[in-house]
mmCIF file of all heavy atoms in Angstrom:
data_model
loop_
_atom_site.group_PDB
_atom_site.id
_atom_site.type_symbol
_atom_site.label_atom_id
_atom_site.label_comp_id
_atom_site.label_asym_id
_atom_site.label_seq_id
_atom_site.Cartn_x
_atom_site.Cartn_y
_atom_site.Cartn_z
ATOM 1 N N HIS A 38 -1.769 -97.161 5.281
ATOM 2 C CA HIS A 38 -1.605 -96.268 4.135
ATOM 3 C C HIS A 38 -0.528 -95.236 4.402
ATOM 4 O O HIS A 38 0.232 -94.883 3.502
ATOM 5 C CB HIS A 38 -2.928 -95.591 3.778
ATOM 6 C CG HIS A 38 -3.896 -96.506 3.119
ATOM 7 N ND1 HIS A 38 -3.644 -97.138 1.922
ATOM 8 C CD2 HIS A 38 -5.128 -96.918 3.483
ATOM 9 C CE1 HIS A 38 -4.674 -97.891 1.584
ATOM 10 N NE2 HIS A 38 -5.592 -97.780 2.518
ATOM 11 N N LEU A 39 -0.453 -94.754 5.641
ATOM 12 C CA LEU A 39 0.569 -93.754 5.972
ATOM 13 C C LEU A 39 1.969 -94.353 5.925
ATOM 14 O O LEU A 39 2.923 -93.662 5.603
ATOM 15 C CB LEU A 39 0.274 -93.142 7.341
ATOM 16 C CG LEU A 39 -1.003 -92.292 7.393
ATOM 17 C CD1 LEU A 39 -1.306 -91.871 8.819
ATOM 18 C CD2 LEU A 39 -0.906 -91.079 6.476
ATOM 19 N N LYS A 40 2.104 -95.644 6.234
ATOM 20 C CA LYS A 40 3.401 -96.332 6.137
ATOM 21 C C LYS A 40 3.757 -96.633 4.689
ATOM 22 O O LYS A 40 4.920 -96.794 4.353
ATOM 23 C CB LYS A 40 3.370 -97.661 6.904
ATOM 24 C CG LYS A 40 3.382 -97.527 8.394
ATOM 25 C CD LYS A 40 3.324 -98.913 9.027
ATOM 26 C CE LYS A 40 3.033 -98.821 10.503
ATOM 27 N NZ LYS A 40 2.758 -100.147 11.095
ATOM 28 N N GLY A 41 2.755 -96.753 3.850
ATOM 29 C CA GLY A 41 2.973 -97.108 2.449
ATOM 30 C C GLY A 41 3.138 -95.877 1.595
ATOM 31 O O GLY A 41 4.047 -95.084 1.785
ATOM 32 N N HIS A 42 2.213 -95.687 0.692
ATOM 33 C CA HIS A 42 2.307 -94.595 -0.280
ATOM 34 C C HIS A 42 1.571 -93.338 0.168
ATOM 35 O O HIS A 42 1.462 -92.392 -0.600
ATOM 36 C CB HIS A 42 1.762 -95.059 -1.635
ATOM 37 C CG HIS A 42 2.477 -96.242 -2.199
ATOM 38 N ND1 HIS A 42 3.783 -96.202 -2.601
ATOM 39 C CD2 HIS A 42 2.063 -97.524 -2.393
ATOM 40 C CE1 HIS A 42 4.152 -97.387 -3.038
ATOM 41 N NE2 HIS A 42 3.130 -98.217 -2.910
ATOM 42 N N GLY A 43 1.042 -93.336 1.379
ATOM 43 C CA GLY A 43 0.318 -92.169 1.871
ATOM 44 C C GLY A 43 -1.149 -92.229 1.485
ATOM 45 O O GLY A 43 -1.613 -93.179 0.876
ATOM 46 N N LEU A 44 -1.878 -91.183 1.859
ATOM 47 C CA LEU A 44 -3.329 -91.176 1.654
ATOM 48 C C LEU A 44 -3.774 -90.496 0.369
ATOM 49 O O LEU A 44 -4.853 -90.767 -0.127
ATOM 50 C CB LEU A 44 -4.021 -90.478 2.833
ATOM 51 C CG LEU A 44 -4.050 -91.272 4.140
ATOM 52 C CD1 LEU A 44 -4.586 -90.402 5.261
ATOM 53 C CD2 LEU A 44 -4.892 -92.519 3.988
ATOM 54 N N ALA A 45 -2.952 -89.615 -0.181
ATOM 55 C CA ALA A 45 -3.397 -88.804 -1.318
ATOM 56 C C ALA A 45 -3.822 -89.640 -2.520
ATOM 57 O O ALA A 45 -4.765 -89.288 -3.219
ATOM 58 C CB ALA A 45 -2.298 -87.829 -1.723
ATOM 59 N N HIS A 46 -3.152 -90.746 -2.757
ATOM 60 C CA HIS A 46 -3.437 -91.542 -3.952
ATOM 61 C C HIS A 46 -4.540 -92.578 -3.756
ATOM 62 O O HIS A 46 -5.017 -93.160 -4.720
ATOM 63 C CB HIS A 46 -2.160 -92.265 -4.405
ATOM 64 C CG HIS A 46 -1.905 -93.526 -3.647
ATOM 65 N ND1 HIS A 46 -1.558 -93.527 -2.328
ATOM 66 C CD2 HIS A 46 -2.019 -94.820 -4.019
ATOM 67 C CE1 HIS A 46 -1.453 -94.781 -1.928
ATOM 68 N NE2 HIS A 46 -1.710 -95.593 -2.915
ATOM 69 N N VAL A 47 -4.962 -92.813 -2.517
ATOM 70 C CA VAL A 47 -5.789 -93.970 -2.192
ATOM 71 C C VAL A 47 -7.163 -93.932 -2.864
ATOM 72 O O VAL A 47 -7.599 -94.920 -3.464
ATOM 73 C CB VAL A 47 -5.938 -94.112 -0.662
ATOM 74 C CG1 VAL A 47 -6.944 -95.179 -0.307
ATOM 75 C CG2 VAL A 47 -4.598 -94.415 -0.037
ATOM 76 N N ARG A 48 -7.857 -92.831 -2.778
ATOM 77 C CA ARG A 48 -9.216 -92.770 -3.346
ATOM 78 C C ARG A 48 -9.210 -92.989 -4.861
ATOM 79 O O ARG A 48 -9.959 -93.829 -5.355
ATOM 80 C CB ARG A 48 -9.912 -91.472 -2.963
ATOM 81 C CG ARG A 48 -10.246 -91.408 -1.473
ATOM 82 C CD ARG A 48 -10.801 -90.040 -1.068
ATOM 83 N NE ARG A 48 -10.810 -89.871 0.371
ATOM 84 C CZ ARG A 48 -11.901 -89.664 1.088
ATOM 85 N NH1 ARG A 48 -13.080 -89.583 0.510
ATOM 86 N NH2 ARG A 48 -11.817 -89.499 2.395
ATOM 87 N N PRO A 49 -8.386 -92.268 -5.621
ATOM 88 C CA PRO A 49 -8.404 -92.515 -7.072
ATOM 89 C C PRO A 49 -7.919 -93.922 -7.443
ATOM 90 O O PRO A 49 -8.442 -94.531 -8.379
ATOM 91 C CB PRO A 49 -7.493 -91.437 -7.658
ATOM 92 C CG PRO A 49 -6.782 -90.827 -6.517
ATOM 93 C CD PRO A 49 -7.556 -91.112 -5.278
ATOM 94 N N GLU A 50 -6.944 -94.453 -6.708
ATOM 95 C CA GLU A 50 -6.460 -95.802 -7.012
ATOM 96 C C GLU A 50 -7.551 -96.837 -6.744
ATOM 97 O O GLU A 50 -7.733 -97.775 -7.518
ATOM 98 C CB GLU A 50 -5.206 -96.141 -6.195
ATOM 99 C CG GLU A 50 -3.985 -95.356 -6.604
ATOM 100 C CD GLU A 50 -3.330 -95.812 -7.898
ATOM 101 O OE1 GLU A 50 -3.855 -96.709 -8.590
ATOM 102 O OE2 GLU A 50 -2.270 -95.266 -8.230
ATOM 103 N N GLN A 51 -8.269 -96.693 -5.630
ATOM 104 C CA GLN A 51 -9.323 -97.663 -5.342
ATOM 105 C C GLN A 51 -10.464 -97.525 -6.346
ATOM 106 O O GLN A 51 -11.023 -98.526 -6.782
ATOM 107 C CB GLN A 51 -9.850 -97.557 -3.915
ATOM 108 C CG GLN A 51 -10.798 -98.730 -3.629
ATOM 109 C CD GLN A 51 -11.154 -98.887 -2.191
ATOM 110 O OE1 GLN A 51 -11.959 -98.125 -1.674
ATOM 111 N NE2 GLN A 51 -10.567 -99.879 -1.557
ATOM 112 N N PHE A 52 -10.798 -96.302 -6.731
ATOM 113 C CA PHE A 52 -11.814 -96.123 -7.778
ATOM 114 C C PHE A 52 -11.391 -96.850 -9.051
ATOM 115 O O PHE A 52 -12.162 -97.626 -9.624
ATOM 116 C CB PHE A 52 -12.048 -94.631 -8.076
ATOM 117 C CG PHE A 52 -12.889 -94.418 -9.300
ATOM 118 C CD1 PHE A 52 -14.273 -94.528 -9.243
ATOM 119 C CD2 PHE A 52 -12.299 -94.143 -10.530
ATOM 120 C CE1 PHE A 52 -15.057 -94.359 -10.384
ATOM 121 C CE2 PHE A 52 -13.072 -93.980 -11.672
ATOM 122 C CZ PHE A 52 -14.450 -94.083 -11.594
ATOM 123 N N ASP A 53 -10.153 -96.613 -9.481
ATOM 124 C CA ASP A 53 -9.656 -97.245 -10.702
ATOM 125 C C ASP A 53 -9.717 -98.765 -10.589
ATOM 126 O O ASP A 53 -10.136 -99.455 -11.521
ATOM 127 C CB ASP A 53 -8.218 -96.812 -10.990
ATOM 128 C CG ASP A 53 -8.108 -95.386 -11.491
ATOM 129 O OD1 ASP A 53 -9.154 -94.744 -11.746
ATOM 130 O OD2 ASP A 53 -6.966 -94.906 -11.618
ATOM 131 N N PHE A 54 -9.302 -99.298 -9.434
ATOM 132 C CA PHE A 54 -9.298 -100.741 -9.241
ATOM 133 C C PHE A 54 -10.721 -101.300 -9.231
ATOM 134 O O PHE A 54 -11.023 -102.282 -9.913
ATOM 135 C CB PHE A 54 -8.570 -101.122 -7.946
ATOM 136 C CG PHE A 54 -8.450 -102.607 -7.793
ATOM 137 C CD1 PHE A 54 -7.386 -103.282 -8.358
ATOM 138 C CD2 PHE A 54 -9.417 -103.334 -7.109
ATOM 139 C CE1 PHE A 54 -7.289 -104.660 -8.255
ATOM 140 C CE2 PHE A 54 -9.327 -104.713 -7.000
ATOM 141 C CZ PHE A 54 -8.255 -105.380 -7.576
ATOM 142 N N LEU A 55 -11.598 -100.675 -8.442
ATOM 143 C CA LEU A 55 -12.950 -101.222 -8.296
ATOM 144 C C LEU A 55 -13.755 -101.149 -9.590
ATOM 145 O O LEU A 55 -14.586 -102.028 -9.840
ATOM 146 C CB LEU A 55 -13.696 -100.529 -7.155
ATOM 147 C CG LEU A 55 -13.233 -100.911 -5.748
ATOM 148 C CD1 LEU A 55 -14.058 -100.164 -4.702
ATOM 149 C CD2 LEU A 55 -13.297 -102.413 -5.513
ATOM 150 N N CYS A 56 -13.534 -100.147 -10.410
ATOM 151 C CA CYS A 56 -14.238 -100.109 -11.699
ATOM 152 C C CYS A 56 -13.959 -101.398 -12.465
ATOM 153 O O CYS A 56 -14.890 -102.055 -12.958
ATOM 154 C CB CYS A 56 -13.814 -98.893 -12.520
ATOM 155 S SG CYS A 56 -14.613 -97.370 -11.995
ATOM 156 N N GLY A 57 -12.707 -101.789 -12.564
ATOM 157 C CA GLY A 57 -12.351 -103.024 -13.256
ATOM 158 C C GLY A 57 -12.813 -104.255 -12.508
ATOM 159 O O GLY A 57 -13.308 -105.220 -13.106
ATOM 160 N N PHE A 58 -12.685 -104.247 -11.200
ATOM 161 C CA PHE A 58 -13.092 -105.363 -10.352
ATOM 162 C C PHE A 58 -14.580 -105.649 -10.514
ATOM 163 O O PHE A 58 -15.010 -106.800 -10.500
ATOM 164 C CB PHE A 58 -12.755 -105.015 -8.899
ATOM 165 C CG PHE A 58 -12.932 -106.134 -7.920
ATOM 166 C CD1 PHE A 58 -11.946 -107.090 -7.761
ATOM 167 C CD2 PHE A 58 -14.072 -106.208 -7.137
ATOM 168 C CE1 PHE A 58 -12.102 -108.120 -6.836
ATOM 169 C CE2 PHE A 58 -14.238 -107.228 -6.214
ATOM 170 C CZ PHE A 58 -13.246 -108.192 -6.058
ATOM 171 N N PHE A 59 -15.365 -104.585 -10.684
ATOM 172 C CA PHE A 59 -16.815 -104.717 -10.840
ATOM 173 C C PHE A 59 -17.239 -104.942 -12.295
ATOM 174 O O PHE A 59 -18.419 -104.919 -12.604
ATOM 175 C CB PHE A 59 -17.534 -103.479 -10.296
ATOM 176 C CG PHE A 59 -17.486 -103.322 -8.805
ATOM 177 C CD1 PHE A 59 -17.507 -102.058 -8.242
ATOM 178 C CD2 PHE A 59 -17.435 -104.413 -7.951
ATOM 179 C CE1 PHE A 59 -17.495 -101.883 -6.857
ATOM 180 C CE2 PHE A 59 -17.413 -104.260 -6.572
ATOM 181 C CZ PHE A 59 -17.443 -102.996 -6.024
ATOM 182 N N GLY A 60 -16.271 -105.124 -13.188
ATOM 183 C CA GLY A 60 -16.603 -105.459 -14.570
ATOM 184 C C GLY A 60 -16.669 -104.291 -15.524
ATOM 185 O O GLY A 60 -17.112 -104.438 -16.663
ATOM 186 N N GLY A 61 -16.226 -103.129 -15.066
ATOM 187 C CA GLY A 61 -16.202 -101.953 -15.927
ATOM 188 C C GLY A 61 -14.816 -101.762 -16.536
ATOM 189 O O GLY A 61 -14.029 -102.705 -16.632
ATOM 190 N N ARG A 62 -14.541 -100.543 -16.937
ATOM 191 C CA ARG A 62 -13.243 -100.236 -17.540
ATOM 192 C C ARG A 62 -12.133 -100.516 -16.521
ATOM 193 O O ARG A 62 -12.247 -100.157 -15.357
ATOM 194 C CB ARG A 62 -13.209 -98.775 -17.985
ATOM 195 C CG ARG A 62 -11.920 -98.451 -18.693
ATOM 196 C CD ARG A 62 -11.986 -97.183 -19.464
ATOM 197 N NE ARG A 62 -10.665 -96.843 -19.954
ATOM 198 C CZ ARG A 62 -10.366 -95.698 -20.521
ATOM 199 N NH1 ARG A 62 -11.305 -94.788 -20.681
ATOM 200 N NH2 ARG A 62 -9.142 -95.447 -20.924
ATOM 201 N N ARG A 63 -11.070 -101.113 -16.983
ATOM 202 C CA ARG A 63 -9.976 -101.530 -16.101
ATOM 203 C C ARG A 63 -8.905 -100.425 -16.043
ATOM 204 O O ARG A 63 -7.773 -100.616 -16.484
ATOM 205 C CB ARG A 63 -9.415 -102.866 -16.573
ATOM 206 C CG ARG A 63 -10.465 -103.977 -16.438
ATOM 207 C CD ARG A 63 -10.063 -105.274 -17.087
ATOM 208 N NE ARG A 63 -9.002 -105.974 -16.394
ATOM 209 C CZ ARG A 63 -9.190 -106.952 -15.499
ATOM 210 N NH1 ARG A 63 -10.412 -107.326 -15.190
ATOM 211 N NH2 ARG A 63 -8.163 -107.534 -14.936
ATOM 212 N N TYR A 64 -9.288 -99.306 -15.469
ATOM 213 C CA TYR A 64 -8.368 -98.157 -15.374
ATOM 214 C C TYR A 64 -7.073 -98.535 -14.667
ATOM 215 O O TYR A 64 -5.987 -98.120 -15.070
ATOM 216 C CB TYR A 64 -9.017 -96.999 -14.601
ATOM 217 C CG TYR A 64 -10.251 -96.416 -15.228
ATOM 218 C CD1 TYR A 64 -11.507 -96.612 -14.662
ATOM 219 C CD2 TYR A 64 -10.162 -95.639 -16.385
ATOM 220 C CE1 TYR A 64 -12.649 -96.058 -15.216
ATOM 221 C CE2 TYR A 64 -11.300 -95.071 -16.958
ATOM 222 C CZ TYR A 64 -12.532 -95.294 -16.369
ATOM 223 O OH TYR A 64 -13.663 -94.752 -16.924
ATOM 224 N N TYR A 65 -7.200 -99.283 -13.574
ATOM 225 C CA TYR A 65 -6.000 -99.637 -12.792
ATOM 226 C C TYR A 65 -5.034 -100.444 -13.656
ATOM 227 O O TYR A 65 -3.840 -100.164 -13.691
ATOM 228 C CB TYR A 65 -6.394 -100.422 -11.525
ATOM 229 C CG TYR A 65 -5.242 -100.570 -10.566
ATOM 230 C CD1 TYR A 65 -5.054 -99.661 -9.539
ATOM 231 C CD2 TYR A 65 -4.319 -101.597 -10.707
ATOM 232 C CE1 TYR A 65 -3.981 -99.772 -8.673
ATOM 233 C CE2 TYR A 65 -3.243 -101.724 -9.849
ATOM 234 C CZ TYR A 65 -3.074 -100.810 -8.827
ATOM 235 O OH TYR A 65 -2.004 -100.917 -7.979
ATOM 236 N N GLN A 66 -5.546 -101.431 -14.359
ATOM 237 C CA GLN A 66 -4.695 -102.252 -15.211
ATOM 238 C C GLN A 66 -4.083 -101.425 -16.338
ATOM 239 O O GLN A 66 -2.917 -101.618 -16.685
ATOM 240 C CB GLN A 66 -5.473 -103.430 -15.780
ATOM 241 C CG GLN A 66 -4.605 -104.368 -16.590
ATOM 242 C CD GLN A 66 -5.310 -105.646 -16.971
ATOM 243 O OE1 GLN A 66 -6.415 -105.900 -16.532
ATOM 244 N NE2 GLN A 66 -4.660 -106.449 -17.780
ATOM 245 N N GLU A 67 -4.850 -100.510 -16.892
ATOM 246 C CA GLU A 67 -4.329 -99.652 -17.957
ATOM 247 C C GLU A 67 -3.132 -98.841 -17.469
ATOM 248 O O GLU A 67 -2.171 -98.634 -18.208
ATOM 249 C CB GLU A 67 -5.425 -98.708 -18.471
ATOM 250 C CG GLU A 67 -6.521 -99.405 -19.249
ATOM 251 C CD GLU A 67 -7.696 -98.494 -19.570
ATOM 252 O OE1 GLU A 67 -7.582 -97.247 -19.437
ATOM 253 O OE2 GLU A 67 -8.763 -99.026 -19.948
ATOM 254 N N ARG A 68 -3.183 -98.390 -16.214
ATOM 255 C CA ARG A 68 -2.108 -97.549 -15.670
ATOM 256 C C ARG A 68 -0.957 -98.349 -15.088
ATOM 257 O O ARG A 68 0.188 -97.910 -15.133
ATOM 258 C CB ARG A 68 -2.678 -96.608 -14.613
ATOM 259 C CG ARG A 68 -3.564 -95.545 -15.240
ATOM 260 C CD ARG A 68 -3.813 -94.316 -14.401
ATOM 261 N NE ARG A 68 -3.025 -94.196 -13.216
ATOM 262 C CZ ARG A 68 -3.513 -94.216 -11.969
ATOM 263 N NH1 ARG A 68 -4.800 -94.361 -11.769
ATOM 264 N NH2 ARG A 68 -2.728 -94.067 -10.945
ATOM 265 N N HIS A 69 -1.262 -99.517 -14.490
ATOM 266 C CA HIS A 69 -0.230 -100.265 -13.766
ATOM 267 C C HIS A 69 0.137 -101.592 -14.412
ATOM 268 O O HIS A 69 1.080 -102.246 -13.970
ATOM 269 C CB HIS A 69 -0.691 -100.522 -12.321
ATOM 270 C CG HIS A 69 -0.912 -99.259 -11.554
ATOM 271 N ND1 HIS A 69 0.116 -98.485 -11.072
ATOM 272 C CD2 HIS A 69 -2.058 -98.618 -11.195
ATOM 273 C CE1 HIS A 69 -0.383 -97.433 -10.437
ATOM 274 N NE2 HIS A 69 -1.695 -97.488 -10.506
ATOM 275 N N GLY A 70 -0.612 -102.030 -15.416
ATOM 276 C CA GLY A 70 -0.282 -103.248 -16.135
ATOM 277 C C GLY A 70 -0.793 -104.531 -15.499
ATOM 278 O O GLY A 70 -0.536 -105.614 -16.018
ATOM 279 N N HIS A 71 -1.478 -104.430 -14.379
ATOM 280 C CA HIS A 71 -2.005 -105.621 -13.698
ATOM 281 C C HIS A 71 -3.082 -105.189 -12.708
ATOM 282 O O HIS A 71 -3.259 -104.006 -12.451
ATOM 283 C CB HIS A 71 -0.887 -106.360 -12.946
ATOM 284 C CG HIS A 71 -0.390 -105.593 -11.760
ATOM 285 N ND1 HIS A 71 -0.941 -105.730 -10.504
ATOM 286 C CD2 HIS A 71 0.584 -104.664 -11.632
ATOM 287 C CE1 HIS A 71 -0.321 -104.924 -9.656
ATOM 288 N NE2 HIS A 71 0.605 -104.258 -10.318
ATOM 289 N N MET A 72 -3.759 -106.204 -12.150
ATOM 290 C CA MET A 72 -4.717 -105.968 -11.068
ATOM 291 C C MET A 72 -4.495 -107.015 -9.978
ATOM 292 O O MET A 72 -5.433 -107.512 -9.371
ATOM 293 C CB MET A 72 -6.161 -106.006 -11.590
ATOM 294 C CG MET A 72 -6.485 -104.771 -12.413
ATOM 295 S SD MET A 72 -8.199 -104.615 -12.922
ATOM 296 C CE MET A 72 -9.100 -104.634 -11.397
ATOM 297 N N ASN A 73 -3.234 -107.341 -9.718
ATOM 298 C CA ASN A 73 -2.865 -108.363 -8.756
ATOM 299 C C ASN A 73 -2.897 -107.781 -7.343
ATOM 300 O O ASN A 73 -2.021 -107.009 -6.965
ATOM 301 C CB ASN A 73 -1.476 -108.900 -9.098
ATOM 302 C CG ASN A 73 -1.038 -110.018 -8.196
ATOM 303 O OD1 ASN A 73 -1.262 -109.981 -6.983
ATOM 304 N ND2 ASN A 73 -0.394 -111.010 -8.780
ATOM 305 N N LEU A 74 -3.903 -108.164 -6.571
ATOM 306 C CA LEU A 74 -4.073 -107.616 -5.223
ATOM 307 C C LEU A 74 -2.874 -107.896 -4.321
ATOM 308 O O LEU A 74 -2.482 -107.048 -3.529
ATOM 309 C CB LEU A 74 -5.338 -108.179 -4.566
ATOM 310 C CG LEU A 74 -6.639 -107.507 -4.944
ATOM 311 C CD1 LEU A 74 -7.821 -108.273 -4.353
ATOM 312 C CD2 LEU A 74 -6.670 -106.060 -4.493
#
Side-chain angles (χ1 to χ4, degrees):
H38 286 299
L39 293 173
K40 287 179 192 171
H42 301 294
L44 287 172
H46 82 291
V47 172
R48 291 174 194 241
E50 291 284 5
Q51 188 168 76
F52 170 81
D53 287 353
F54 185 87
L55 287 180
C56 281
F58 188 82
F59 291 150
R62 184 164 172 189
R63 295 171 71 95
Y64 298 109
Y65 191 93
Q66 184 171 353
E67 290 171 14
R68 290 199 10 245
H69 298 285
H71 69 90
M72 287 187 58
N73 183 319
L74 278 173

